[in-house]
Amino acid sequence: MAVWDHSIFALAMVLLLTASPGQAADVETHGFLLLNYSGRMTDDRPAQSDSDFLLGEERLRLDVSVWADEIEASARFKGDLFHDSVDDETELDMREAYVDYATDKVDLRLGRQIATWGVGDLLFINDVFPKNWVSFFSGRPLEYLKIGVDGARLRFSGEMINADVILIPFFTPDTLPTPARFFLYDPLAPVTTRSETKPASTYDNSELALRLYRRARDFDVAAYLYKGFWRSPGMRPDDFTAPTQIELFYPELYVYGASAQGNAFGGVLSLEVGYYDSRDDRDGNDPTIANSQSRFLIGYQRQLKQDLTLGLQYYTEIMRDYDQYKQTLPAGFAVQRRSRDTVTLRLEQLLRHQTLRLSLFTFYSPADDDYLIQPKMSYQFSDELSATLGANFFGGNKKTTFLGQFDKNDNIYLSVRFDF
C-alpha cells in the first residue's frame, strides 16, 4: 500500500505544480506494461544465489505530462511499479518527476531528471551522471541504464553559445552488480562486515555540472566541467594484512572535458576527451582511491546501405602517477595496466518495413583481453505490442579484469512490451 501512496503523491504534485487559478492545464497520460526475464546460460550460480535467473520482472509504467501554455510551464511524472520475481519484492521506481518553466532564453527544470551528455555510444567520459550497470548486464531495456538525479537544471540559449548548469544536492552512486546475482572478482571477498559512507547532503557537497555548447561549421562542439564524486566506491579495509571490516566510500572528483560531433568522411565523426582529477589522491599514494586519469574517445558511424548502420569506437584511459600506484598497491591485489583501451562495434539492420530490428554491439579491450558481446532482435507486432530477444556473452583470460570477472554471467533475456 505504501508503494501506491508514493505513486499517487508524486502524480498529485505534478498536477498541482502546474495548476493556476482560472487556467486549464493540458494533460497527456500514457504508459506500458513490460515483462522482462533473464536466465543464466550455464549451470553455475553465485554462492549467494539459488536462482537460475538474473532478472524476473513485471513493470507497469505511468507517464504523465501536464502543461499550461499561458504560463509557459509544464511538468512530468514517469514512474514504474514493478514486481521483482527473483527476490519476490514489489517496489516503485520513480524515473522522473520534474517541473519546467521556460522564458525566451532561459529554461529551468526542478526535480528528478535524467541527464545525458557526451557523444560516446555506451562509452562515457563527460556523462558523469549515475548509471545502473545491473540493468545493462542483465537485459533490461537500454533506458534503464540511466538513473535520475534530484536537482535543478538551468539552460541558457544564446546567439553565440548555449549553456546547461545542473545542481545536484543529493548524491546518487552507480548501481553495481553484487554477489547476490553475479559472479564478481573481489580480493576482499572473505570480509563480510561492510559499511557504506555516502557524501553528506550539505551545501559544500552539492554536485555541479556545466556544459557550454554551440554549432561550429559542421560540428556540434561542447566543453564540460564537473565537481562532485566518483560514482563507484573506494574500498578501505581496517587492516590490509588481516582485514576484519571494510568501508565503502566515494572520493571527491573533478572532471574537465570537451567533445565534437559532426559530418565527416561520409558519416558521423565523434571526438571526446576528459581529465579525471581525483581530488582526494592527487599524488596517487592512496591505494583505496582511484588515481587521476585522462580519457579519450574517437567514434565513427555511417550507413552502409539502406537500413544498415555501422558504428566503430576506440576509447582509452591513461592512469596518472602509475609508479606510485604500483608501489602502494597491497600484496595480493591485481595490478591494473597504466593504459586501458576498448574497441566497440555496432551493427544494426532494419527489415520488414522497419518492424524487425537486428543489432549487435560488442566491447573488446586489447589491453585486458576481455569482451562483452550483445546480440539483440526486436520485433514490432503492432503499434502497441513489441518483443525483444537478446543475450550478454562475457569473456576474458583473467577474472581480475573489468569484463573478464563476469565470465560466468552469460545470460539470455526476453522482454515483451505493451504500450497504452
Side-chain angles (χ1 to χ4, degrees):
M1 186 64 184
V3 169
W4 282 109
D5 290 342
H6 287 301
S7 179
I8 294 171
F9 173 76
L11 178 57
M13 288 299 295
V14 169
L15 297 175
L16 289 173
L17 285 170
T18 53
S20 180
Q23 296 176 341
D26 295 305
V27 182
E28 182 179 289
T29 303
H30 58 88
F32 58 75
L33 174 64
L34 178 67
L35 312 177
N36 225 127
Y37 306 101
S38 175
R40 305 182 192 279
M41 299 183 69
T42 69
D43 294 331
D44 296 320
R45 300 174 186 169
Q48 298 183 26
S49 174
D50 59 357
S51 175
D52 288 328
F53 291 90
L54 280 171
L55 195 66
E57 288 184 347
E58 299 82 33
R59 287 180 174 262
L60 180 63
R61 162 69 58 83
L62 178 64
D63 192 340
V64 181
S65 297
V66 186
W67 64 95
D69 294 332
E70 295 86 351
I71 58 174
E72 297 183 324
S74 62
R76 187 174 189 180
F77 168 78
K78 183 192 294 185
D80 291 3
L81 179 69
F82 73 95
H83 175 244
D84 180 349
S85 302
V86 177
D87 290 337
D88 194 20
E89 296 178 346
T90 300
E91 297 183 24
L92 175 67
D93 178 11
M94 192 166 72
R95 305 289 297 160
E96 294 183 278
Y98 58 79
V99 174
D100 281 337
Y101 180 75
T103 64
D104 289 341
K105 291 185 178 296
V106 177
D107 297 342
L108 174 64
R109 174 171 293 179
L110 181 65
R112 174 163 293 190
Q113 53 197 284
I114 291 177
T116 299
W117 288 0
V119 298
D121 184 4
L122 298 179
L123 291 173
F124 307 103
I125 296 181
N126 294 294
D127 189 331
V128 292
F129 308 106
K131 317 289 190 305
N132 187 329
W133 294 106
V134 173
S135 292
F136 185 66
F137 290 150
S138 58
R140 285 195 188 106
L142 191 57
E143 71 166 282
Y144 290 98
L145 172 60
K146 301 306 294 287
I147 301 174
V149 293
D150 299 305
R153 186 203 70 193
L154 184 69
R155 172 168 291 170
F156 170 78
S157 300
E159 295 181 1
M160 295 295 296
I161 199 166
N162 308 302
D164 283 349
V165 180
I166 299 180
L167 178 66
I168 308 171
F170 311 105
F171 175 76
T172 301
D174 283 350
T175 300
L176 301 174
T178 68
R181 299 197 191 188
F182 288 85
F183 288 96
L184 300 170
Y185 170 71
D186 183 352
L188 299 173
V191 185
T192 57
T193 302
R194 304 189 177 202
S195 61
E196 182 181 30
T197 303
K198 295 181 182 179
S201 298
T202 62
Y203 295 136
D204 289 342
N205 283 344
S206 294
E207 300 170 69
L208 183 66
L210 169 67
R211 176 175 65 162
L212 302 174
Y213 58 100
R214 61 164 295 169
R215 185 76 175 174
R217 295 184 181 271
D218 294 329
F219 281 79
D220 294 315
V221 297
Y224 308 88
L225 172 66
Y226 169 74
K227 168 193 171 294
F229 303 89
W230 290 93
R231 300 283 177 194
S232 298
M235 300 175 61
R236 179 174 288 144
D238 56 345
D239 188 322
F240 275 110
T241 57
T244 60
Q245 58 184 4
I246 295 173
E247 178 194 7
L248 304 179
F249 67 104
Y250 298 87
E252 189 176 12
L253 173 69
Y254 283 13
V255 179
Y256 317 93
S259 70
Q261 186 175 62
N263 297 324
F265 310 111
V268 177
L269 179 66
S270 302
L271 304 167
E272 190 168 357
V273 298
Y275 179 70
Y276 279 52
D277 184 2
S278 191
R279 305 284 293 186
D280 289 337
D281 187 28
R282 304 191 81 177
D283 296 325
N285 294 321
D286 189 338
T288 67
I289 300 176
N291 281 26
S292 298
Q293 56 184 239
S294 300
R295 300 186 179 188
F296 306 92
L297 168 74
I298 180 169
Y300 179 72
Q301 178 181 312
R302 69 174 299 169
Q303 185 171 312
L304 299 179
K305 61 179 184 179
Q306 184 175 1
D307 294 333
L308 176 60
T309 304
L310 167 70
L312 297 168
Q313 294 180 117
Y314 178 79
Y315 163 89
T316 185
E317 54 188 45
I318 303 172
M319 185 189 302
R320 287 201 59 191
D321 303 308
Y322 188 65
D323 290 339
Q324 289 91 324
Y325 159 77
K326 289 194 298 183
Q327 291 173 4
T328 58
L329 189 68
F333 282 65
V335 180
Q336 298 181 25
R337 290 179 176 269
R338 179 175 183 269
S339 176
R340 179 181 178 273
D341 55 358
T342 300
V343 179
T344 74
L345 165 70
R346 180 184 290 280
L347 280 172
E348 190 167 273
Q349 173 75 68
L350 298 176
L351 300 167
R352 298 179 63 87
H353 305 289
Q354 299 188 345
T355 59
L356 176 62
R357 183 188 301 268
L358 305 177
S359 67
L360 174 69
F361 196 91
T362 65
F363 297 83
Y364 173 67
S365 172
D368 290 343
D369 195 20
D370 60 4
Y371 62 85
L372 169 59
I373 302 174
Q374 296 180 311
K376 184 166 61 175
M377 176 177 65
S378 302
Y379 187 71
Q380 192 80 31
F381 293 96
S382 66
D383 290 341
E384 296 80 19
L385 182 63
S386 62
T388 299
L389 179 66
N392 293 289
F393 299 104
F394 302 89
N397 287 330
K398 298 179 180 178
K399 67 177 183 179
T400 57
T401 62
F402 178 66
L403 294 175
Q405 67 178 319
F406 296 108
D407 189 36
K408 294 183 179 181
N409 295 295
D410 293 353
N411 59 84
I412 184 170
Y413 61 86
L414 172 68
S415 65
V416 179
R417 171 170 164 161
F418 180 79
D419 289 87
F420 57 85

